[in-house]
Amino acid sequence: MSTTTRNRLEAQYGRLSINGRPHALSAVTIVALRLVMGGVMLFAGLGKVSEWPFDASGFLVHGVDPASPVSGLYATMAGTPVVLEAINVIVPATQLLIGVALLTGAFVRLAALGGAVQMVLFYLGGWAGDWLALFDSTLVYAFVFLALGAFAAGRMAGLDAYIERLRVGDRRLIERFPRLRYVLG
C-alpha cells in the first residue's frame, strides 16, 4: 500500500481557507467507517423486523422528554393511527435500506442523507434540554453519515463507482442523468 498521496482537501468560506492533504490511509478509513455504519443500520433494522410488529409509540409517547423541542409533535404523531403505522414501517425499512446501501457502496449519498435525517430525528426526540448532553451519540452518527456522503464513500470500494461508469446507449449513465451525482458517491 502506498503511503503517499496527491489528494488535497480545500474549501474557501469568505476569507477563511481550509487546506489539507489526507494520508493514504484516509480512503481505507472511510471505507471501514462506511461498512461499520452500514452494519449498525442494517442490524438496527433487522432487530426491529425480527420482533415484528415494530411499534414506535413507546418512544414517541414515553421516550421523549417534555423538554424536547419535538415532544408535542411526536406525541401527536403517536396519537394519529395512520401516521404511527407509517412510522412503524418507514423506520425499520429505511434502516435496512440504508444499511444495505452503505455495505454495498450503492447510492451512498442518498443513504447518508437518510441516515443523517433519521439520527437528527432521534436526537431531537432524545434531547432532554440538558446542555451538557447536547452532544450525544445520535448527533455524532448524524455527522458521520454526512461525512460519508461528503467524502463520496461509495466510490471507494463500492458500487457507486461501477454505477457511474455504466453506459446507456452511447453515453454514461451519469451523463444521461446528471442528477444521479447527488445520490451516488
Side-chain angles (χ1 to χ4, degrees):
M1 174 179 6
S2 172
T3 58
T4 60
T5 182
R6 293 183 194 100
N7 295 331
R8 290 186 50 83
L9 297 173
E10 299 176 306
Q12 183 79 31
Y13 299 101
R15 294 183 181 203
L16 175 65
S17 292
I18 301 171
N19 297 299
R21 293 185 186 271
H23 190 274
L25 291 175
S26 299
V28 173
T29 304
I30 290 168
V31 170
L33 190 58
R34 188 190 84 215
L35 295 173
V36 167
M37 292 305 292
V40 166
M41 292 303 283
L42 180 66
F43 285 102
L46 287 173
K48 290 170 180 64
V49 170
S50 70
E51 296 178 10
W52 199 261
F54 171 67
D55 184 12
S57 64
F59 173 74
L60 293 172
V61 174
H62 305 293
V64 180
D65 192 282
S68 170
V70 295
S71 62
L73 173 65
Y74 284 16
T76 301
M77 291 165 59
T80 309
V82 172
V83 173
L84 181 60
E85 286 306 312
I87 291 168
N88 288 340
V89 172
I90 290 170
V91 169
T94 56
Q95 287 179 341
L96 290 170
L97 290 170
I98 291 166
V100 169
L102 293 178
L103 288 170
T104 61
F107 301 95
V108 168
R109 282 199 174 128
L110 181 62
L113 177 62
V117 167
Q118 196 169 83
M119 290 302 117
V120 167
L121 293 172
F122 291 160
Y123 171 75
L124 290 172
W127 191 49
D130 181 8
W131 290 101
L132 293 176
L134 189 61
F135 300 100
D136 76 350
S137 62
T138 52
L139 184 63
V140 173
Y141 282 170
F143 278 95
V144 169
F145 282 121
L146 292 174
L148 290 172
F151 282 109
R155 291 186 185 130
M156 294 177 255
L159 292 178
D160 279 346
Y162 173 76
I163 294 168
E164 288 181 348
R165 289 190 308 267
L166 287 175
R167 296 192 78 75
V168 176
D170 60 336
R171 294 168 54 192
R172 287 186 9 211
L173 181 68
I174 201 83
E175 292 167 353
R176 187 168 290 262
F177 303 102
R179 290 189 178 159
L180 277 176
R181 285 187 172 99
Y182 296 112
V183 297
L184 298 172

